[in-house]
Amino acid sequence: MKILIALFISVCLVSCEQFLIQPRANASPQDCFESLWNTVNERYSYFELKSVNWDSVKIVYQSKIHADMSERALFKTLYDMLYILRDGHVNLESPFDLARNWNWYLDRPENFNYSILERNYLKDNYEITGPFVNRWFGEVGYMYYGSFSSGFSAKELQALMEKFQQAKGIIIDVRNNGGGSLGNAQSLAQSFTDQKRPVLEWIYKTGKGRADFSPGQVEYLEPGSGSRYLGQVVILTNRSSYSATTFFTAMMKSLPQVQVFGDTTGGGGGLPWLAELPNGWTYRFSSTRCRMWNGPDLEPGIPVDSVITQSQDDLAVGRDPILEAAIEVLE
């Protein structure tokens, strides 16, 4: 976490410095193209993993840049180039649009319908503890966490651990959780281990060369200070479980008592770098790498132990087979 905090501060400081620079009114389309291509070239972390030839990309897209092109045409050209990175942490923002790549989940089953969960499973028999919607299913504890951007107090987490201390198992549902704070992800995961364990390995850019990376730096998961639950746990994920949710799933999957049901998480294993073009548009892209301890990179997503799909027939009758499978296994 010290490494993450230092990186976050450095990113913020650089970003603040960049945002204080006044954009140039006379910045040309070529200036913007060169600035974007060069910055991504020096700092993007997944060229090799995604087999992207960034030099070839430059040749193709530089030919589309010309001095009298409109702002919208420039915006589209620049983001079409960024789109090749196939990265959900890549955005380009102008006063008129926020470009994004969401194909990492749009071509997969949704595998989650909150209305079905609420109406047919939660009903009116649940509690809301901080950001956690929770209840009992027989002797199995269940908690839904919709966003790691939603913080929680030590008392709220303690209340959940005490509530479910005698459960046969706990289900942690993070479907459609698009991420947020890595600190929240780690704090929650700490409630399910009784010993210090290596869980992740961080890799940082150390220079402008595409292969300039640091050796892997191990991150450990240590037990939290409050009550902990050490029984069986099932994590429910879908393809829209992204960024900090992927990190949480990776940390939890490193524990021996944890299984993951549903679909591979969306990935998002690189922390985003923030930058600004000469014309004032802002953008971000992945600038670090992270992998599971002695395991695969987080960027493509964390695979599940049991692939379960919510079909159209399930939706038609209001059924959540992913949740039902987790309850059945833990009971």
Side-chain angles (χ1 to χ4, degrees):
M1 283 307 295
K2 291 180 180 178
I3 294 171
L4 289 179
I5 292 169
L7 179 65
F8 176 76
I9 292 173
S10 66
V11 169
C12 288
L13 289 176
V14 172
S15 300
C16 290
E17 180 182 5
Q18 288 169 332
F19 291 145
L20 290 174
I21 298 172
Q22 292 297 316
R24 300 203 322 260
N26 62 344
S28 70
Q30 184 64 33
D31 291 336
C32 294
F33 176 86
E34 292 289 345
S35 176
L36 178 62
W37 188 90
N38 286 326
T39 303
V40 173
N41 182 60
E42 294 172 1
R43 296 191 178 277
Y44 187 64
S45 52
Y46 287 118
F47 287 126
E48 182 180 4
L49 181 69
K50 298 185 177 182
S51 301
V52 173
N53 187 325
W54 198 234
D55 292 316
S56 296
V57 170
K58 181 176 184 179
I59 293 171
V60 171
Y61 283 91
Q62 192 169 34
S63 66
K64 302 175 184 291
I65 302 294
H66 52 87
D68 59 347
M69 67 193 307
S70 69
E71 283 194 330
R72 290 184 180 274
L74 174 62
F75 185 88
K76 184 178 187 306
T77 301
L78 294 181
Y79 194 72
D80 284 349
M81 180 174 72
L82 289 173
Y83 198 84
I84 291 172
L85 300 176
R86 307 187 306 279
D87 192 321
H89 272 151
V90 170
N91 298 108
L92 175 63
E93 184 172 6
S94 72
F96 51 83
D97 197 7
L98 173 67
R100 65 276 171 202
N101 183 348
W102 288 338
N103 278 351
W104 43 270
Y105 74 84
L106 289 176
D107 62 349
R108 299 283 276 271
E110 186 172 5
N111 285 330
F112 183 66
N113 184 300
Y114 190 83
S115 180
I116 288 176
L117 173 66
E118 182 178 40
R119 293 170 183 272
N120 298 345
Y121 295 90
L122 298 177
K123 300 182 178 179
D124 60 354
N125 185 25
Y126 63 91
E127 294 180 341
I128 301 175
T129 308
F132 302 101
V133 174
N134 60 95
R135 63 157 289 171
W136 287 95
F137 288 112
E139 296 181 80
V140 174
Y142 170 86
M143 45 197 285
Y144 176 72
Y145 191 14
S147 174
F148 280 105
S149 294
S150 300
F152 49 86
S153 68
K155 287 184 177 180
E156 289 166 341
L157 189 56
Q158 177 79 6
L160 276 178
M161 293 303 103
E162 290 178 356
K163 175 178 180 175
F164 294 136
Q165 196 58 226
Q166 302 304 316
K168 283 187 174 180
I170 292 179
I171 298 167
I172 306 176
D173 192 344
V174 289
R175 290 175 293 176
N176 277 25
N177 185 324
S181 165
L182 292 182
N184 289 338
Q186 186 178 55
S187 294
L188 180 56
Q190 286 177 328
S191 296
F192 297 93
T193 184
D194 61 347
Q195 59 182 280
K196 182 178 178 180
R197 298 175 183 273
V199 290
L200 300 174
E201 196 170 7
W202 288 93
I203 304 168
Y204 301 96
K205 285 285 291 179
T206 57
K208 296 182 178 181
R210 292 176 193 159
D212 292 344
F213 288 99
S214 70
Q217 300 182 34
V218 180
E219 180 173 343
Y220 293 86
L221 182 67
E222 300 189 33
S225 57
S227 296
R228 296 183 296 277
Y229 181 81
L230 304 177
Q232 295 298 305
V233 176
V234 175
I235 313 292
L236 307 187
T237 63
N238 64 355
R239 195 62 182 158
S240 294
S241 302
Y242 190 69
S243 193
T245 311
T246 289
F247 284 91
F248 172 73
T249 305
M251 287 187 283
M252 291 295 289
K253 198 170 182 180
S254 300
L255 306 179
Q257 78 275 23
V258 175
Q259 301 179 73
V260 183
F261 284 13
D263 196 2
T264 302
T265 70
L271 297 180
W273 178 270
L274 310 176
E276 183 175 307
L277 294 179
N279 67 354
W281 296 350
T282 58
Y283 62 102
R284 69 173 191 163
F285 56 88
S286 299
S287 64
T288 66
R289 296 179 62 177
C290 188
R291 58 192 178 212
M292 294 184 69
W293 170 246
N294 287 333
D297 200 291
L298 270 60
E299 175 64 10
I302 305 302
V304 297
D305 298 294
S306 182
V307 177
I308 306 170
T309 299
Q310 188 176 35
S311 69
Q312 290 300 315
D313 289 341
D314 293 321
L315 291 171
V317 298
R319 179 171 175 260
D320 189 336
I322 303 171
L323 173 58
E324 289 182 8
I327 294 171
E328 182 177 358
V329 164
L330 293 175
E331 283 186 334

